Amino acid sequence: MSMNKATQTELDINLYFSNYNGSMTVEIKNNNQMLTKFANVATGDYNVKCLIDMPANLTFTISGKNYNSDTRVVDQEVVADKFVQLKSMSLGKIPIGVLLLPTICRFTTDKEEDKIKYETYWGFNGVVNINIPYSNFIKYHLSMNNGFDRDGLKHIDKLLHVDYDHLPTGNGHTFTTN
Amino acid sequence: MTVLITSVPFTDTAEPIMAPAQLQSLLQSHGYDAVGIDLNAWVYNYIKQHAEKHKLQGFFYNQTICPTIIDELVFIIDHCTNEILKYQPTCVGLSLLSHHSQVFTKWLAASLKTAEPGIKIIIGGAGMHNHIAANRSFFCEDVIKLGIVDDYISGDADKSIIEYFKGNTSYPGINTVAWVQDSDMSLLPMPNYSNYNMDQYDNKCIPLLDSRGCVKNCEFCDIIEYWQKFNFRSAESIFNEILSQIATYNIRHIAFRNSLINGNLKEFKKLIVLIADYNRGLPREQQISWGSYFIVRQASQHPPEMWQLLKENNAKLYLGIESLIERVRHGLGKTFNNDALTYHLQQAQHFDIKLLLLIIVGYPTETLEDYEATKQWFRDNACYASTVYQVGLSLAAVLPNTNLARKAKEYNIVVGALPTVWTNKNLNITPQQRINHQFELEQLCIELNYNSLNTDGASGFHLPQGKDRAAANKLVNDVTVENL
């Protein structure tokens, strides 16, 4: 049995794919090493659990969004959208707090305006970067003032369980959540 | 399989924590390879002189993370992880003495699971619950859901931990809050402190379990809800353990772990005779001494001959007085009268036996007149200040699942968000007033020389002072009476 010198740490993330004219494509890498790729997936939750090298530089390369057709707007309201959402993330089994999570997601989009965003709702093509500049995951959490707080995720869950590709027909406003 | 049991910081004590040593010997007696260590002692020593002590304690108590202590926290967590893993355990038992161990349990368990993903982690101890008599453990549910702890064991683990390792996980107390008090204390092997560095403790002593539960039925108390039966060991069994531990560790001060040592008066009298006989003729440094909780009884049950024996035992007594107002004290379940209390003070003074008085500030049936009478009692009895080496003052709390909580309606008590935040609508003394009373009483005791500067702490568990007390004050202030 080894002593506590491990620089590999368990990463556990949950992504929600919302499809409208198909799904986003997401390539996930750590330090330029491919972890996994999602393409043409069905609407729903997808879990990624793996060991990653630390320090870590996670990148989520997001593509597949056609800005002309993959968002449906009715009366200036978005009623259907193709996007992917980072719903939760744990490092070393310690969840990143729900309020903290968007602040660590640096989203560089391919849009001219709003090029840099910090959010977990990824509805544009671009690259999301999560930088973890420590070899010790405990130090990362402490430095972020993060400690086992998962509260609030339930609220997000409720908002996001929407399958826009299988909405009730006729009225864009009448989709249901579960 | 190697099982490692450790205490989990933070308990503010300069004494050894017994449970890991007890469980080590218990597991070994059933053929398991087991180690018991006291990580709390290392952390206690590490931070006691630390320039950022209060910030570090803030982390342990409330998970307050100040940027200036992050590297220290990483060091402490890494050190504790490595201390555990150097024994190469396949299973780690984290023993939580109080709920102040909960914060560090999470960080330590996460660190262990990352360092050794295959390691099994179980937790136990009264500290798993926010209140000892709680009927649900959100903490246990949470850490299991997070995947940093595999199982938990409630209550005395004398039988359940053995059943756990046999694979009988349906035994009462395993992953359930409810447990069965079914063990025979006389069958317990004595704690094995071989993996403790006894030199590291400022208060050198051997903890010894002599009884569980209580013979009284005080309405505020949750101990009697946790241990519903009073179990005790025979005087001979206790004395033999004392002799054996002295022979092994050459430490002669015994820290009894109990709610009271004189619950069974017959066995208690036998024990103090055995110890007095042992001590007679020996120089003081070779004599046995001890400290323990002790209930006040009527004078006839504690005659002067007993006090003479207590002196020869080098005994230090912690008395749960609770209220200095006889009416209030009788009402809450302590039936001794003021004459008995005075008698105990007189005898202790006469035989030079040091006392700790434990007082509840602002009991729900205490009026403002009672509070003034309490202050006057301290003034009137200042002649005993040198005998009372410390007065332990604690805010009255309505703890869940106690008789007091069940009587809340009868007393017209409205309970707030915390056990110490309540109002008796008949009396209308606010939580803030009670906090003020506590400060005033502390100050009065100091002025009257009741509190010595000796910080060895009667039972080893220090009362919150300074910033800790201020933090407690703020906590209560944050939950105002308007929230009731």
Side-chain angles (χ1 to χ4, degrees):
Chain A
M1 215 175 262
S2 66
M3 301 292 279
N4 186 26
K5 302 295 182 193
T7 54
Q8 279 211 318
T9 302
E10 183 187 283
L11 172 73
D12 189 345
I13 58 178
N14 192 265
L15 294 168
Y16 177 76
F17 282 80
S18 170
N19 293 357
Y20 185 58
N21 299 324
S23 77
M24 288 286 210
T25 296
V26 179
E27 270 187 12
I28 308 174
K29 293 180 179 176
N30 180 37
N31 298 334
N32 289 322
Q33 301 289 311
M34 177 72 86
L35 296 178
T36 190
K37 179 178 178 178
F38 293 95
N40 299 317
V41 296
T43 292
D45 288 307
Y46 293 85
N47 180 251
V48 179
K49 190 185 271 193
C50 58
L51 292 174
I52 59 168
D53 291 323
M54 300 272 284
N57 186 1
L58 294 168
T59 55
F60 300 75
T61 304
I62 298 152
S63 59
K65 181 74 173 261
N66 182 329
Y67 299 123
N68 296 320
S69 60
D70 293 349
T71 301
R72 184 180 173 205
V73 180
V74 176
D75 296 336
Q76 296 182 313
E77 188 175 343
V78 175
V79 296
D81 194 19
K82 179 192 288 188
F83 69 90
V84 63
Q85 171 97 20
L86 177 62
K87 285 177 62 182
S88 66
M89 173 175 160
S90 293
L91 189 66
K93 297 189 185 294
I94 301 176
I96 308 288
V98 66
L99 297 177
L100 191 60
L101 195 55
T103 70
I104 65 171
C105 297
R106 187 176 196 272
F107 189 10
T108 308
T109 73
D110 63 354
K111 306 287 279 186
E112 285 302 314
E113 66 274 10
D114 288 339
K115 192 162 183 63
I116 304 293
K117 304 160 85 70
Y118 285 86
E119 58 185 27
T120 54
Y121 184 102
W122 304 333
F124 300 113
N125 299 321
V127 177
V128 177
N129 176 267
I130 297 177
N131 187 32
I132 304 169
Y134 303 103
S135 56
N136 184 315
F137 78 105
I138 296 282
K139 183 161 186 174
Y140 175 70
H141 289 295
L142 292 171
S143 301
M144 302 293 287
N145 207 349
N146 179 59
F148 301 95
D149 174 22
R150 294 181 303 183
D151 292 346
L153 289 176
K154 290 177 196 125
H155 175 66
I156 289 181
D157 283 350
K158 194 174 176 184
L159 291 177
L160 290 181
H161 280 104
V162 182
D163 184 349
Y164 297 110
D165 275 347
H166 298 90
L167 292 174
T169 55
N171 188 337
H173 294 282
T174 59
F175 60 80
T176 57
T177 62
N178 56 5
Chain B
M1 172 171 34
T2 298
V3 183
L4 181 136
I5 311 286
T6 180
S7 59
V8 183
F10 187 73
T11 301
D12 195 2
T13 179
E15 295 183 358
I17 291 180
M18 186 181 65
Q22 182 73 72
L23 291 169
Q24 174 183 328
S25 61
L26 176 70
L27 287 163
Q28 286 174 335
S29 71
H30 284 80
Y32 294 98
D33 182 14
V35 175
I37 63 173
D38 186 8
L39 280 178
N40 186 73
W42 182 85
V43 171
Y44 174 86
N45 284 327
Y46 186 75
I47 72 172
K48 71 180 176 186
Q49 301 294 345
H50 200 288
E52 308 249 49
K53 177 183 175 181
H54 291 294
K55 288 182 183 172
L56 290 165
Q57 285 182 328
F59 172 79
F60 286 105
Y61 291 144
N62 307 312
Q63 198 172 262
T64 306
I65 303 169
C66 296
T68 55
I69 60 167
I70 287 172
D71 285 339
E72 286 290 25
L73 292 174
V74 170
F75 172 72
I76 290 169
I77 295 166
D78 276 354
H79 176 87
C80 291
T81 303
N82 291 335
E83 278 299 299
I84 289 170
L85 293 183
K86 80 180 185 189
Y87 292 95
Q88 301 189 338
T90 46
C91 179
V92 175
L94 302 178
S95 176
L96 288 72
L97 183 61
S98 83
H99 69 279
H100 291 314
S101 301
Q102 289 185 2
V103 168
F104 198 70
T105 293
K106 287 184 175 181
W107 291 93
L108 180 60
S111 178
L112 286 166
K113 284 284 188 184
T114 290
E116 288 297 342
I119 210 162
K120 190 177 266 287
I121 298 178
I122 57 175
I123 59 174
M128 294 190 305
H129 314 303
N130 288 344
H131 306 290
I132 193 171
N135 51 21
R136 186 174 174 187
S137 176
F138 293 100
F139 177 78
C140 294
E141 293 169 17
D142 198 32
V143 291
I144 286 176
K145 200 171 172 186
L146 285 167
I148 55 178
V149 166
D150 296 283
D151 296 293
Y152 67 95
I153 297 179
S154 300
D156 298 335
D158 308 1
K159 286 186 177 176
S160 49
I161 197 166
I162 303 302
E163 292 301 316
Y164 177 82
F165 286 114
K166 284 180 185 171
N168 178 15
T169 53
S170 60
Y171 195 83
I174 298 175
N175 293 325
T176 61
V177 174
W179 62 286
V180 179
Q181 190 184 350
D182 61 351
S183 67
D184 181 349
M185 290 176 64
S186 66
L187 300 177
L188 277 177
M190 67 182 72
N192 182 336
Y193 297 101
S194 58
N195 292 295
Y196 288 39
N197 172 10
M198 288 303 201
D199 291 333
Q200 72 183 316
Y201 299 101
D202 292 340
N203 292 359
K204 292 201 171 19
C205 63
I206 297 291
L208 193 151
L209 177 70
D210 62 290
S211 64
R212 285 173 173 151
C214 188
V215 294
K216 305 299 285 183
N217 193 27
C218 300
E219 64 183 4
F220 64 85
C221 181
D222 54 357
I223 294 286
I224 54 173
E225 306 293 333
Y226 193 71
W227 287 289
Q228 297 187 351
K229 290 179 282 188
F230 176 65
N231 285 343
F232 61 93
R233 291 171 57 190
S234 69
E236 291 79 9
S237 156
I238 295 168
F239 187 64
N240 287 339
E241 181 170 329
I242 292 172
L243 295 184
S244 176
Q245 300 291 37
I246 288 174
T248 306
Y249 303 106
N250 195 29
I251 294 173
R252 288 151 199 280
H253 183 70
I254 306 302
F256 285 109
R257 299 294 187 237
N258 56 26
S259 295
L260 73 175
I261 195 169
N262 54 339
N264 183 316
L265 206 47
K266 187 178 160 195
E267 292 302 318
F268 175 65
K269 285 178 177 172
K270 271 197 235 171
L271 177 65
I272 58 176
V273 167
L274 287 167
I275 294 174
D277 287 347
Y278 175 93
N279 281 350
R280 273 183 210 122
L282 290 174
R284 175 64 184 85
E285 66 272 13
Q286 288 181 30
Q287 292 181 3
I288 296 167
S289 61
W290 55 263
S292 175
Y293 293 100
F294 183 92
I295 54 168
V296 176
R297 296 174 184 271
Q298 299 305 332
S300 60
Q301 293 181 286
H302 291 168
E305 307 85 70
M306 192 199 77
W307 290 93
Q308 172 63 37
L309 287 167
L310 287 173
K311 177 179 174 58
E312 293 177 83
N313 275 232
N314 304 304
K316 195 185 258 190
L317 307 179
Y318 322 142
L319 308 184
I321 305 299
E322 321 310 355
S323 175
L324 294 164
I325 309 302
E326 192 172 279
R327 167 186 55 80
V328 174
R329 197 167 59 240
H330 284 184
L332 64 83
K334 293 231 156 141
T335 49
F336 62 88
N337 57 28
N338 282 352
D339 289 345
L341 174 56
T342 303
Y343 169 78
H344 280 64
L345 291 167
Q346 287 168 342
Q347 293 297 313
Q349 186 172 58
H350 179 72
F351 289 101
D352 193 23
I353 293 164
K354 298 300 179 195
L355 302 178
L356 162 70
L357 303 187
L358 295 162
I359 308 286
I360 297 172
V361 179
Y363 197 77
T365 53
E366 270 189 12
T367 64
L368 287 174
E369 291 72 30
D370 292 331
Y371 169 63
E372 292 302 322
T374 297
K375 287 199 289 189
Q376 192 57 44
W377 186 95
F378 281 111
R379 293 187 195 102
D380 293 344
N381 291 277
C383 56
Y384 300 113
S386 60
T387 296
V388 177
Y389 76 98
Q390 194 168 20
V391 178
L393 299 164
S394 59
L395 281 174
V398 182
L399 297 168
N401 298 323
T402 59
N403 281 332
L404 182 57
R406 289 186 279 270
K407 286 181 180 173
K409 265 191 182 172
E410 180 188 326
Y411 285 166
N412 206 6
I413 295 172
V414 181
V415 182
L418 294 171
T420 50
V421 179
W422 51 266
T423 293
N424 182 333
K425 292 291 186 187
N426 296 339
L427 301 175
N428 274 325
I429 302 172
T430 67
Q432 185 58 58
Q433 276 176 290
R434 293 197 295 275
I435 290 170
N436 295 342
H437 291 172
Q438 181 164 356
F439 280 124
E440 282 176 7
L441 284 175
E442 278 175 1
Q443 196 55 42
L444 180 65
C445 287
I446 291 168
E447 286 166 12
L448 296 170
N449 295 318
Y450 279 98
N451 283 340
S452 79
L453 293 176
N454 181 359
T455 56
D456 68 353
S459 57
F461 299 97
H462 301 164
L463 301 167
Q465 299 292 346
K467 289 185 181 175
D468 297 339
R469 176 59 58 80
N473 189 9
K474 181 178 183 307
L475 187 63
V476 178
N477 282 337
D478 286 348
V479 187
T480 61
V481 184
E482 285 70 36
N483 294 124
L484 289 171

